[in-house]
Amino acid sequence: MSDNTTIHDVAVLPGQERFVAPLDETPLQDVDKVDESAPATSMWADAWRNLRKNPLFIISGILIIFIIFVALFPSVLTKTDPNYCNLDNSLGDPEAGHPFGFDFQGCDVFARTVYGTRTSLSVGLLSTILVVIIGTLIGAVAGFCGGWIDAVLSRLNDIFYAIPMLLGAIVVLQMFKTSTSIWKIVLVLALFGWVSTARIARGAVLEAKNLEFNTASTALGSTPMRNLFRHIIPNSLAPIIVIGTTSLGSYIVSEATLSFLGVGLPTTTVSWGGDISNAQTNLMTNPMVLFYPSVALAVTVLSFIMMGDAVKDALDPKSRTA
């Protein structure tokens, strides 16, 4: 073979000769062929597929379903009025129909623990929904508009971020303590709790607004506000849902803390925080009065934290530990 020998019109040097088989002898393989019959998947479908296999999600889901059931139908578990108290039963031991015994006022601890679920869960869910709405709107507008709007909203975010939520809530509730209700607690917690959600939403919108779907939508004649609410915010919800799910437990704890400190719900409202506050004086003589509402609070908060961790792993694979 000469120095100018070619194989399929490709010049090669001595020692670099190679053989190229004819195309009909080496047909293309189906190794990387895409199954066109398979249904299309999305981030949410992939997340749900991962969640269904996550034991943490299954356990927390079962607990949360049970907690919601107790909050909605407390009379299924107990027929006793939680506000009915008889001093003759003060610090009484458990008996038939009253498995947790009685507190210092003679109230049924089991009934108050069951009915307290509704109050704590309502505050947690309503606060989370309000925080997610406020934080998402402020963060999305700041990230999408930019310029002076972003600067003003970011400085407002910094101001509220410097105020501890519990401290701010205590000050506001002390200023308007004439009548305290669940909605007042929810509004106060939302007033100081939207900051983290706004920061997450701003970062997600900043990333999403530079993606191709936004450019394509603009080229098709869509207005900026339509892009923001129709395309950008829906594609930025994953981290917002994660922080909302994770933070729900903290709002339940905040309500219990405010009630424990005496600036939360009135004593006529059955809540775990109020019962824990009332039971602290009997901690040495009858600790079980404090134990039951504390365990109920801990299990509820733990359930939502576990759910938040499971959702975070499903929607944010980068956060998974090796």
Side-chain angles (χ1 to χ4, degrees):
M1 183 178 293
S2 63
D3 294 343
N4 295 326
T5 301
T6 61
I7 300 177
H8 293 289
D9 298 330
V10 179
V12 295
L13 298 176
Q16 295 183 340
E17 298 84 357
R18 61 192 183 277
F19 173 76
V20 179
L23 183 61
D24 56 354
E25 296 181 7
T26 57
L28 296 177
Q29 303 297 319
D30 294 336
V31 175
D32 298 324
K33 184 178 180 181
V34 177
D35 185 7
E36 299 179 356
S37 63
T41 60
S42 63
M43 178 187 68
W44 303 105
D46 293 338
W48 172 241
R49 186 166 55 251
N50 292 330
L51 282 174
R52 288 183 303 176
K53 301 176 183 178
N54 191 341
L56 197 66
F57 172 77
I58 296 173
I59 296 173
S60 61
I62 293 174
L63 289 173
I64 290 174
I65 291 174
F66 174 73
I67 292 167
I68 294 175
F69 175 81
V70 173
L72 293 177
F73 308 104
S75 59
V76 175
L77 299 180
T78 177
K79 303 297 183 181
T80 304
D81 184 357
N83 289 316
Y84 174 76
C85 304
N86 187 347
L87 289 177
D88 293 336
N89 297 324
S90 179
L91 300 179
D93 296 328
E95 59 184 48
H98 309 282
F100 291 173
F102 301 88
D103 62 12
F104 185 73
Q105 298 295 328
C107 305
D108 182 17
V109 176
F110 178 74
R112 294 188 66 84
T113 302
V114 169
Y115 277 87
T117 307
R118 176 179 297 177
T119 302
S120 297
L121 192 63
S122 298
V123 171
L125 288 175
L126 293 174
S127 298
T128 301
I129 293 172
L130 203 56
V131 162
V132 167
I133 293 175
I134 296 174
T136 300
L137 289 177
I138 293 177
V141 170
F144 183 76
C145 295
W148 68 269
I149 296 179
D150 184 20
V152 171
L153 293 179
S154 295
R155 298 297 77 76
L156 179 65
N157 189 295
D158 294 338
I159 292 173
F160 277 89
Y161 192 79
I163 304 175
M165 183 173 64
L166 273 179
L167 179 60
I170 291 173
V171 172
V172 173
L173 289 173
Q174 286 284 34
M175 293 171 58
F176 305 97
K177 61 180 181 179
T178 53
S179 61
T180 305
S181 63
I182 290 179
W183 278 109
K184 182 176 289 188
I185 299 294
V186 169
L187 292 175
V188 170
L189 292 178
L191 176 64
F192 296 99
W194 61 269
V195 183
S196 298
T197 304
R199 289 193 169 196
I200 296 295
R202 178 180 178 274
V205 168
L206 282 173
E207 181 180 357
K209 76 174 185 179
N210 295 318
L211 298 180
E212 290 80 1
F213 68 83
N214 184 42
T215 305
S217 180
T218 303
L220 293 174
S222 180
T223 62
M225 286 296 104
R226 179 180 174 85
N227 284 346
L228 175 61
F229 290 99
R230 184 73 179 271
H231 302 292
I232 295 178
I233 290 182
N235 283 277
S236 305
L237 286 179
I240 298 173
I241 292 175
V242 169
I243 190 173
T245 309
T246 307
S247 302
L248 193 149
S250 65
Y251 297 121
I252 296 177
V253 173
S254 298
E255 179 275 324
T257 304
L258 292 173
S259 298
F260 177 81
L261 295 175
V263 296
L265 297 172
T267 55
T268 55
T269 302
V270 181
S271 69
W272 292 333
D275 287 350
I276 294 172
S277 176
N278 294 332
Q280 63 178 328
T281 55
N282 308 114
L283 181 60
M284 300 301 296
T285 57
N286 197 340
M288 300 308 292
V289 176
L290 177 69
F291 175 77
Y292 294 116
S294 300
V295 169
L297 175 63
V299 170
T300 301
V301 174
L302 179 62
S303 300
F304 283 103
I305 291 177
M306 290 167 57
M307 176 66 73
D309 289 341
V311 172
K312 181 179 180 181
D313 290 342
L315 294 179
D316 186 13
K318 296 179 180 178
S319 67
R320 300 174 188 167
T321 56

